[in-house]
Amino acid sequence: MIALRHVVMRLTAGGRSITILDDLTLEIPSKQFVAVVGPSGSGKSTLLALIAGLDAPTAGTIALDGVDLGGLDEDALAGLRLEKIGVVFQAFHLIPTLTALENVAVPLELAGDPDPLGRARELLDEVDLAARADHYPVQLSGGEQQRVALARACARRPPLLLADEPTGNLDAATGAHVMALLRRMHRDYGSTLVLVTHDAGLAASADRIVTLRDGHIVSDTGGTGDG
Ligand code: ADP
Ligand code: MG
């Protein structure tokens, strides 16, 4: 479902050219749970942003279900994300003027769901935040905001979930909650899950573990697959 071919990502900073991803070729089949690991600065977040179409590579191609992202304009990419991709980043990107419930309802409304608020309420319940539905992001803790962001990302049961260290800033109990929902999406709805994590135990439970270093894939092995 995801095919990266000879992807290069290069940036110019302070007059110097930096290669962030260097000739990366990677294929991720539908429904696979892939953990992406590697030291800080190895290119993990950049890789997720490219797969989400939030950034374009300097060279190479990225295709989702056979559609080359390079051939799509911003509107088409936004449409594709709405239809197919749920993204959870470390920064939550919640809309500050909307309540938790309204934040979760946004993608449902955009997609013309017949009952966006009702469905959003169910999703908040799944992340144990029903009691916080009417709170604004500033009134929520970091862990609560992350769970709202996750409920929003999962709202349309996207076939592809991209999660960048979603448990990185959370205490163990909240992190377990977030992972439980991601695993449920993967298991029950067959979502492909690409998870960047520093947690070795979490990575080991994936179907596959891809390790990046300096913008290269240095290892690509099977996990236990019991995630
Ligand atoms: P990771 O998520 O594995 O920590 P990133 O993908 O965030 O790595 O970044 C990879 C490298 O690219 C890092 O060295 C980072 O400093 C650099 N980098 C990322 N984005 C930019 C940018 N916009 N400008 C300059 N350097 C960047
Ligand atoms: Mg990162």
Side-chain angles (χ1 to χ4, degrees):
M1 104 159 301
I2 308 172
L4 292 96
R5 302 245 180 278
H6 303 294
V7 166
V8 176
M9 188 60 169
R10 209 172 278 131
L11 287 177
T12 310
R16 280 196 322 139
S17 167
I18 314 169
T19 302
I20 299 177
L21 294 176
D22 196 2
D23 197 18
L24 209 99
T25 292
L26 175 68
E27 208 161 290
I28 299 176
S30 274
K31 303 181 196 289
Q32 195 166 56
F33 171 13
V34 184
V36 177
V37 303
S40 176
S42 54
K44 306 182 296 295
S45 295
T46 303
L47 173 65
L48 283 204
L50 291 179
I51 295 173
L54 293 167
D55 233 327
T58 311
T61 60
I62 300 166
L64 291 189
D65 292 331
V67 175
D68 180 1
L69 300 189
L72 303 180
D73 63 17
E74 284 304 319
D75 283 351
L77 284 170
L80 180 106
R81 273 195 295 278
L82 184 64
E83 190 191 332
K84 288 198 174 167
I85 309 179
V87 184
V88 196
F89 289 132
Q90 261 182 309
F92 318 119
H93 301 301
L94 295 177
I95 300 169
T97 53
L98 300 183
T99 64
L101 184 72
E102 291 162 346
N103 264 284
V104 177
V106 165
L108 296 161
E109 270 160 13
L110 286 174
D113 188 286
D115 181 19
L117 291 175
R119 174 89 185 107
R121 215 171 273 285
E122 284 172 26
L123 283 151
L124 278 181
D125 198 32
E126 285 195 52
V127 292
D128 256 357
L129 281 180
R132 299 288 193 156
D134 298 325
H135 290 219
Y136 289 88
V138 291
Q139 300 172 306
L140 301 171
S141 72
E144 288 165 345
Q145 290 182 53
Q146 181 62 300
R147 282 186 278 158
V148 174
L150 180 65
R152 182 181 57 182
C154 294
R156 303 199 57 231
R157 291 180 190 154
L160 173 58
L161 274 169
L162 302 173
D164 194 354
E165 301 186 47
T167 63
N169 294 327
L170 307 181
D171 61 71
T174 313
H177 235 108
V178 163
M179 269 319 296
L181 183 60
L182 286 174
R183 287 182 208 281
R184 185 137 35 92
M185 295 301 295
H186 165 64
R187 279 197 202 134
D188 297 354
Y189 302 117
S191 301
T192 308
L193 173 57
V194 184
L195 172 76
V196 171
T197 182
H198 278 122
D199 182 325
L202 256 181
S205 74
D207 299 322
R208 177 178 177 192
I209 307 163
V210 171
T211 307
L212 291 186
R213 188 177 300 269
D214 296 333
H216 296 274
I217 294 173
V218 292
S219 125
D220 186 349
T221 62
T224 61
D226 58 11

